[in-house]
Amino acid sequence: MTTTDDPIEVLWTPSPERVANTRMTHYQSWLREERNVHTDNYQQLWRWSVSEPATFWESIWSYFGVIASTQPTESLGDATMPGAIWFPEARLNWAENILRHARTDDAAVVALNETGAARTTSWRALEQQVANVATAFRQMGVKPGDRVAAVLPNITATVVAVLATASVGAVWSCCAPDFGLKGLTDRLSQIQPTVLIGVDGYQFNGKWIDRRATIEALSAQLPTVRHTVIVYNGHWPNRHLPNALDFGDLSAGHATPSYEQVSFDHPLWILYSSGTSGLPKGIVHSHGGILLESLKSNALHYDLGSDDRVFIAASTAWVVWNMLVDAMTTGATIITYDGSSTYGRPDHHFQICADHRVTRFGTGAAYLTLCEKAGSSPVRDFDLSALRSIMSTGSPLPDTTWHWVYEHVSPDVHLGSDSGGTDVATAFIGANPLSPVVTGELQGPYLGVAVEAWDDFGHSVIDQLGEMVITAPMPSMPVYFWNDDSQRTRYHNAYFAEYPGVWRHGDWITRTARGTFRVHGRSDSTLNRGGVRMGSADVYQAIETLPEIAESLIIGAELPGGGYHMPLFVVLKPGHILTDGLIEKICTTIRHDVSPRHVPDEIIDVPAIPTTRTGKRLEIPVKKLIQGAPPEAAINPATVADTATLDWFIDYARRFRESHRTS
């Protein structure tokens, strides 16, 4: 660990040998030889990629040799946002480009559960299963553009099912099996699926959860479903659902692989917004956009190839699961896991990394912090010598957790914090294999992503808090929202209403003069006191280093009549109580480390912090409750990890409003 002359802390620097052997460096050499593009470092390469977007994305197509029945004659037909037109003449298939690697008996998928049992599927066997299921879909009458809805865990059958759906040109949409019936219906009824694929049950924390009744009820609420298919997950033999097809039967056979050739912008899958209030939006991504983005990010930014083994701990309801499947575009083996992340011990996922010689581990920032706070030291307990890189995403990574990774996981791992979203199924800013890793900073913008920080007047700012904007189109931006009107009104309002023709993502960031970034949290949950804005993540970063604090939630709520209320909710570690002394300690920490203006109005001890299923704090719903919104309008319970945690906040908001009315 070294420190530069600047007030930054460099945690890791890639060796010259490592840099020379990266796919990013090979791509730079290819550009020099084939395109006469000369770049000496990552910043130069990025600047070229955003100054010549059409040439850059054409180079990604050519460098990776995209398989297409019709090759494109141009890469960017129209650069207008929203509505950019990419590779207009091309005809291709996302699944075919993944299964191009199915010429060997090397492992494609290694499926794990909590018992540690592993089931390996080779590339050749995977292609055969996909061909069999795709043939069955065609026999059912599934056509290009039809929707296949799934309620499945992170298992091999889910990988087979998404590839088979894409093979026939149908549109995939998946929810996790722990969703309640309402959450499933809210999402899947919107898309009017032809086929429903469900699971009989799943394992979590040593228990088997039976979902057969839920799948039956869901099927009854989806009148467009013509066929229900069940994946039998191995716990209840001979207890099949009546009138349902067995996925195992569909995946058996000797069908010939066949891939429907579709346009670049043909829908591939529908993902859903968090939907913390109101009905979740169906975000539609395309075959071509996802393919090019996954090749760029996985091969160049993550430096993956056919020798890699990728484990991303993700629910199928989280876009990161889709990114796990996307890693297969490089020929990498993926590790799926059905179970609790802390089964047996808090750092259970690191045990998986060791047991299966994982080279790349992807997880949420909250999980790494959980391991840190539990006192885990994976490097002490496991052989992590194969692990080359870690992706942290979902929320900003606290400084202490950056240090914990290098002290307790590996001193020579490439730790990348990435920030993107379901909206683009990738990152805007994050890791690259050529630059050093600095505490608390994202290494830079992704190739082809014209990202800036803007002030309120639409001016680009450096070393200053600003809105994260994208000023040029990306191929993996949504092609549309499901059930939007002909003018794409909801799509426009979601990203382009603030700055016409420019994508506003809703995050507060600081872009440094060195080209790195800091993420401060969502701009719609910004703490704006007296006109001075601060990201909530800055407060969490400061106070969650205190030994008494386990978790926290800070809210800045604008009130009628111009008032402003900023409470801080804290969960204390066992053995601590919220004394006047601790309150003063918290306030002093915020005053010194964050801002004197952002000392909270009150600090309240709470039993738990409500989060989404992917671990994000429910700042906006709690803010809406405080502002007076009824619970049914402020919160979609289907997206909440534990709805019981919200009861306290609903009661708090009611009491606050009553006292505010009387005062």
Side-chain angles (χ1 to χ4, degrees):
M1 194 179 300
T2 59
T3 304
T4 69
D5 293 332
D6 296 326
I8 62 170
E9 185 179 34
V10 177
L11 293 168
W12 176 84
T13 301
S15 67
E17 296 78 15
R18 185 160 175 167
V19 168
N21 290 322
T22 63
R23 299 191 75 176
M24 185 85 78
T25 297
H26 183 273
Y27 170 65
Q28 286 179 292
S29 299
W30 181 88
L31 285 174
R32 282 194 294 272
E33 296 168 5
E34 301 292 331
R35 298 292 189 272
N36 198 30
V37 174
H38 297 263
T39 58
D40 295 326
N41 53 46
Y42 183 77
Q43 280 294 319
Q44 290 179 12
L45 181 61
W46 171 76
R47 281 194 290 270
W48 169 76
S49 75
V50 295
S51 63
E52 302 285 347
T55 306
F56 166 70
W57 287 106
E58 181 280 326
S59 79
I60 295 296
W61 180 292
S62 298
Y63 177 72
F64 289 105
V66 169
I67 297 173
S69 60
T70 303
Q71 292 289 333
T73 58
E74 63 176 331
S75 56
L76 186 53
D78 185 346
T80 305
M81 288 198 296
I85 299 173
W86 293 97
F87 298 88
E89 301 93 356
R91 307 284 294 181
L92 75 169
N93 188 285
W94 169 80
E96 182 178 19
N97 278 273
I98 286 180
L99 291 168
R100 70 195 299 176
H101 302 286
R103 302 294 178 266
T104 73
D105 290 319
D106 293 342
V109 183
V110 178
L112 309 175
N113 60 24
E114 289 180 341
T115 69
R119 179 175 295 179
T120 299
T121 302
S122 71
W123 278 102
R124 208 184 304 274
L126 178 66
E127 182 184 44
Q128 185 61 72
Q129 291 182 38
V130 169
N132 295 335
V133 175
T135 298
F137 283 164
R138 291 185 175 101
Q139 291 171 348
M140 294 176 191
V142 177
K143 303 182 301 299
D146 286 349
R147 275 75 64 202
V148 173
V151 183
L152 295 171
N154 187 4
I155 57 178
T156 304
T158 316
V159 179
V160 172
V162 67
L163 290 168
T165 299
S167 295
V168 303
V171 187
W172 171 259
S173 187
C174 188
C175 295
D178 58 345
F179 276 33
L181 181 61
K182 184 179 186 304
L184 295 170
T185 306
D186 282 351
R187 288 159 175 76
L188 301 181
S189 63
Q190 297 183 55
I191 66 172
Q192 299 179 307
T194 298
V195 175
L196 172 65
I197 309 175
V199 71
D200 61 342
Y202 64 94
Q203 190 177 23
F204 192 82
N205 255 347
K207 298 179 180 178
W208 278 90
I209 315 298
D210 191 341
R211 301 303 286 162
R212 288 170 297 173
T214 299
I215 299 301
E216 283 190 293
L218 176 63
S219 182
Q221 294 195 25
L222 299 175
T224 57
V225 167
R226 299 197 300 265
H227 301 278
T228 298
V229 181
I230 299 295
V231 174
Y232 293 100
N233 210 13
H235 187 67
W236 296 283
N238 304 317
R239 294 177 63 184
H240 287 199
L241 269 69
N243 305 316
L245 300 170
D246 185 334
F247 188 85
D249 293 339
L250 269 57
S251 61
H254 303 281
T256 301
S258 176
Y259 303 99
E260 187 75 23
Q261 298 300 293
V262 297
S263 62
F264 188 92
D265 62 356
H266 185 82
L268 171 62
W269 55 48
I270 301 169
L271 305 178
Y272 297 94
S273 64
S274 58
T276 49
S277 61
L279 209 60
K281 296 187 295 291
I283 300 172
V284 183
H285 291 121
S286 67
H287 274 247
I290 292 300
L291 175 61
L292 287 192
E293 181 57 45
S294 62
L295 287 167
K296 180 203 75 177
S297 58
N298 285 289
L300 301 184
H301 285 269
Y302 308 152
D303 198 32
L304 295 180
S306 58
D307 293 333
D308 284 289
R309 296 169 73 85
V310 181
F311 172 46
I312 300 182
S315 158
T316 54
W318 191 15
V319 64
V320 176
W321 181 84
N322 301 71
M323 294 167 64
L324 171 65
V325 179
D326 275 338
M328 301 177 79
T329 57
T330 66
T333 301
I334 64 169
I335 314 291
T336 68
Y337 175 65
D338 180 22
S340 167
S341 61
T342 57
Y343 183 71
R345 54 187 299 159
D347 53 7
H348 179 59
H349 282 165
F350 285 102
Q351 182 176 6
I352 290 174
C353 289
D355 291 347
H356 295 277
R357 305 295 292 168
V358 168
T359 59
R360 178 168 176 78
F361 173 44
T363 187
Y367 179 73
L368 296 176
T369 301
L370 180 152
C371 291
E372 175 200 5
K373 291 184 175 181
S376 299
S377 185
V379 71
R380 177 192 63 205
D381 298 337
F382 309 120
D383 177 5
L384 296 171
S385 57
L387 188 63
R388 292 190 299 110
S389 67
I390 297 175
M391 176 187 71
S392 171
T393 191
S395 58
L397 194 65
D399 285 359
T400 59
T401 310
W402 287 88
H403 292 122
W404 175 83
V405 167
Y406 282 97
E407 293 168 7
H408 293 280
V409 178
S410 170
D412 192 32
V413 72
H414 179 191
L415 173 60
S417 179
D418 284 8
S419 180
T422 303
D423 321 76
V424 288
T426 188
F428 297 115
I429 51 180
N432 75 74
L434 308 184
S435 303
V437 171
V438 173
T439 304
E441 295 186 355
L442 283 68
Q443 287 175 280
Y446 266 37
L447 294 178
V449 183
V451 59
E452 296 180 7
W454 278 16
D455 63 17
D456 288 343
F457 304 100
H459 300 143
S460 181
V461 293
I462 304 292
D463 290 329
Q464 180 180 325
L465 192 71
E467 285 270 8
M468 182 165 77
V469 299
I470 315 300
T471 61
M474 298 166 54
S476 69
M477 285 176 173
V479 285
Y480 53 83
F481 286 172
W482 195 261
N483 287 337
D484 206 352
D485 59 34
S486 60
Q487 301 301 311
R488 308 277 169 92
T489 302
R490 287 196 301 155
Y491 185 21
H492 177 274
N493 291 342
Y495 308 115
F496 299 100
E498 185 75 14
Y499 306 113
V502 172
W503 175 294
R504 170 189 174 271
H505 193 60
D507 280 349
W508 282 121
I509 60 172
T510 297
R511 180 186 180 190
T512 74
R514 291 174 285 105
T516 61
F517 289 83
R518 289 183 178 269
V519 177
H520 305 275
R522 296 292 294 173
S523 58
D524 47 9
S525 59
T526 301
L527 309 173
N528 186 356
R529 170 161 277 168
V532 178
R533 297 177 301 199
M534 186 66 61
S536 56
D538 297 296
V539 175
Y540 304 142
Q541 168 86 349
I543 67 169
E544 291 184 7
T545 60
L546 299 177
E548 300 89 349
I549 306 299
E551 295 180 278
S552 60
L553 180 76
I554 190 165
I555 301 297
E558 299 82 5
L559 303 176
Y564 192 78
H565 183 57
M566 193 167 67
L568 171 66
F569 306 99
V570 295
V571 176
L572 300 178
K573 291 182 179 178
H576 295 282
I577 59 174
L578 191 63
T579 62
D580 289 344
L582 180 54
I583 289 174
E584 180 56 34
K585 182 179 182 180
I586 294 169
C587 291
T588 299
T589 299
I590 294 173
R591 188 178 295 111
H592 288 167
D593 295 353
V594 183
S595 157
R597 289 176 178 262
H598 294 85
V599 172
D601 296 319
E602 57 178 338
I603 301 176
I604 309 153
D605 182 9
V606 298
I609 299 298
T611 66
T612 67
R613 292 172 180 271
T614 58
K616 294 183 179 180
R617 300 174 231 230
L618 288 170
E619 295 171 320
I620 303 306
V622 172
K623 177 177 178 177
K624 289 180 177 179
L625 289 171
I626 293 172
Q627 290 174 319
E632 61 273 16
I635 305 158
N636 183 344
T639 66
V640 182
D642 181 1
T643 54
T645 61
L646 284 166
D647 295 339
W648 189 95
F649 288 88
I650 292 170
D651 183 62
Y652 166 83
R654 176 188 56 77
R655 289 185 281 108
F656 171 78
R657 292 195 305 273
E658 289 175 353
S659 65
H660 189 71
R661 280 196 295 268
T662 33
S663 57

